[in-house]
Amino acid sequence: MRIAVYPGSFDPITNGHVDVLRRAGAVFDRVIVAVLVNPRKATVDSADDRVETIRASIAEALAEDLDRIEVMAFDGLTVDLCRRIGARWLVRGLRAVADFEAELQMAHTNRKMAPDVDTVFFMTALEHAYLSSSLVREIARFGGDVAPLVPTAVLRRLAQTDDRAAPAAAPLPSED
Ligand code: PNS
């Protein structure tokens, strides 16, 4: 069985992440979305909330792959997680050249620590090439409309939190 881990902060998950996940789901038998719990990196949402939002996003956007995609929180080294769950691939998205150097460094370092785990990159679809979680957070914080950038589950989550409330002019899509 080909098991891959897709690690990240996902604070919040964006349509770019969903795009990478969809394509990884077409290649691997199981994809584990691994949400980093990092006490040294301040995240807006707790790991548990991020896991919940990602699960809801997958249910809404990738329903056909539900049985093959799992979501979990983790701390420590990503390669240790891979070994624990028997994953031989790490999935990362590459948006623009700007991502390349940091991703290359991470891939080589992970490979040094775990030669049996390979990193696989998916080029993010062009329409998401300049999308990032931090931009989404900033736009939402100042009342901008992030509906075109994130799954509906994220909009619901943003609307629940005071300082990032969804703009009144952009009502949430109905549950229908
Ligand atoms: O979404 P991000 O913040 O770009 O994801 C970064 C992530 C979680 C993939 C990276 O920070 C990571 O793997 N952290 C776990 C600790 C680890 O393994 N560090 C060594 C990386 S070479």
Side-chain angles (χ1 to χ4, degrees):
M1 174 170 306
R2 289 169 306 178
I3 305 174
V5 164
Y6 180 21
S9 305
F10 304 106
D11 190 36
I13 185 169
T14 68
N15 289 343
H17 293 123
V18 171
D19 169 53
V20 169
L21 194 49
R22 175 181 292 112
R23 287 152 61 197
V27 172
F28 297 103
D29 299 311
R30 268 177 76 204
V31 181
I32 318 291
V33 182
V35 179
L36 180 66
V37 182
N38 185 351
R40 280 179 294 120
K41 183 172 174 182
T43 52
V44 175
D45 256 348
S46 70
D48 285 348
D49 285 334
R50 282 176 281 151
V51 166
E52 201 174 305
T53 306
I54 295 168
R55 285 198 181 124
S57 302
I58 293 168
E60 125 202 345
L62 301 172
E64 68 282 6
D65 289 326
L66 261 188
D67 51 333
R68 287 184 303 116
I69 300 177
E70 290 160 46
V71 190
M72 63 183 287
F74 83 105
D75 57 13
L77 292 175
T78 304
V79 290
D80 285 343
L81 172 70
C82 289
R83 288 198 177 114
R84 262 202 315 279
I85 62 180
R88 291 195 38 226
W89 291 275
L90 267 175
V91 166
R92 294 287 288 169
L94 268 184
R95 289 166 298 188
V97 178
D99 282 343
F100 188 76
E101 205 155 331
E103 292 297 333
L104 194 68
Q105 181 184 31
M106 207 150 51
H108 281 310
T109 309
N110 281 328
R111 193 164 167 73
K112 197 82 180 163
M113 291 188 286
D116 50 326
V117 177
D118 238 327
T119 302
V120 176
F121 293 103
F122 288 86
M123 307 300 157
T124 309
L126 201 52
E127 67 263 36
H128 307 309
Y130 293 96
L131 175 55
S132 71
S133 298
S134 53
L135 270 184
V136 167
R137 287 197 304 271
E138 183 167 302
I139 294 167
R141 190 176 305 123
F142 291 114
D145 181 12
V146 293
L149 310 177
V150 293
T152 311
V154 174
L155 296 181
R156 281 198 298 270
R157 177 71 194 138
L158 289 170
Q160 285 168 2
T161 44
D162 286 341
D163 58 334
R164 296 168 301 156
L172 294 178
S174 79
E175 299 280 338
D176 301 340

